[in-house]
Amino acid sequence: MGTVRDILQVKGHAVYSIHPDITVFDALSVLVDKNVGALIVLDNEKVCGIFSERDYARRVIVKGRASKDTLIREIMTENPISVTEEDSIEDCMVKMTEKHIRHLPVIDRQDRLIGMISIGDVVKYIINEQKYIINNLEGYIKGTR
């Protein structure tokens, strides 16, 4: 099985981030504008949290808070679980499943943010890998490989 690096080579390293002192409303606007499910929260270029649609649903809407009056720092998930480019796809699946999370920031050896992967990225990678294996096995059986 592949590594996070394999996903980032296809997906790219673009990460959308926000500052912890913006309002939830403004963060939601970024989510919609970028068509993503989560944003990294950076303070002085350091990852301090992650804000997702799930955070919004559980910590704003259900609690009766106003998104225009609530700051991201009040409701973000602090110290998000992260991975490195060397981590295996299998390790990512285990972390996501055990922790019930859908997004993993990718951090380099100097603790710098270099990307983010989602459960959708992981599933897409696994499906493509399985297709490749199946095609190779079919070719082997048919004698064309």
Side-chain angles (χ1 to χ4, degrees):
M1 188 165 282
T3 64
V4 171
R5 178 178 287 109
D6 298 322
I7 290 176
L8 291 179
Q9 285 176 342
V10 174
K11 173 185 178 159
H13 292 265
V15 179
Y16 301 110
S17 63
I18 53 175
H19 191 272
D21 291 327
I22 72 165
T23 66
V24 170
F25 182 84
D26 290 336
L28 289 170
S29 297
V30 176
L31 283 177
V32 170
D33 182 52
K34 303 301 182 187
N35 194 30
V36 294
L39 300 166
I40 295 296
V41 183
L42 294 177
D43 194 4
N44 294 322
E45 298 186 28
K46 291 291 279 179
V47 174
C48 62
I50 190 166
F51 169 70
S52 69
E53 296 164 327
R54 185 178 283 182
D55 292 321
Y56 176 66
R58 293 180 179 184
R59 297 180 184 151
V60 178
I61 293 298
V62 171
K63 304 278 185 183
R65 297 172 108 169
S67 59
K68 289 187 177 184
D69 299 326
T70 305
L71 298 180
I72 286 299
R73 78 169 53 255
E74 299 171 39
I75 58 103
M76 69 183 183
T77 298
E78 294 184 53
N79 305 311
I81 296 165
S82 62
V83 293
T84 68
E85 285 186 303
E86 292 80 26
D87 285 320
S88 72
I89 304 300
E90 185 176 356
D91 289 340
C92 294
M93 289 189 308
V94 168
K95 285 180 180 185
M96 289 174 156
T97 302
E98 287 179 352
K99 302 296 183 182
H100 305 286
I101 56 177
R102 298 178 184 174
H103 300 87
L104 291 169
V106 183
I107 308 296
D108 70 9
R109 289 189 175 122
Q110 289 77 40
D111 279 339
R112 293 180 302 210
L113 179 67
I114 59 169
M116 182 152 69
I117 63 170
S118 69
I119 189 68
D121 299 324
V122 171
V123 169
K124 184 178 179 179
Y125 179 86
I126 291 168
I127 289 170
N128 288 335
E129 185 178 66
Q130 288 177 346
K131 284 180 183 178
Y132 176 77
I133 292 169
I134 290 167
N135 286 337
N136 281 330
L137 288 173
E138 286 175 343
Y140 176 77
I141 290 168
K142 293 176 184 176
T144 59
R145 295 200 192 259

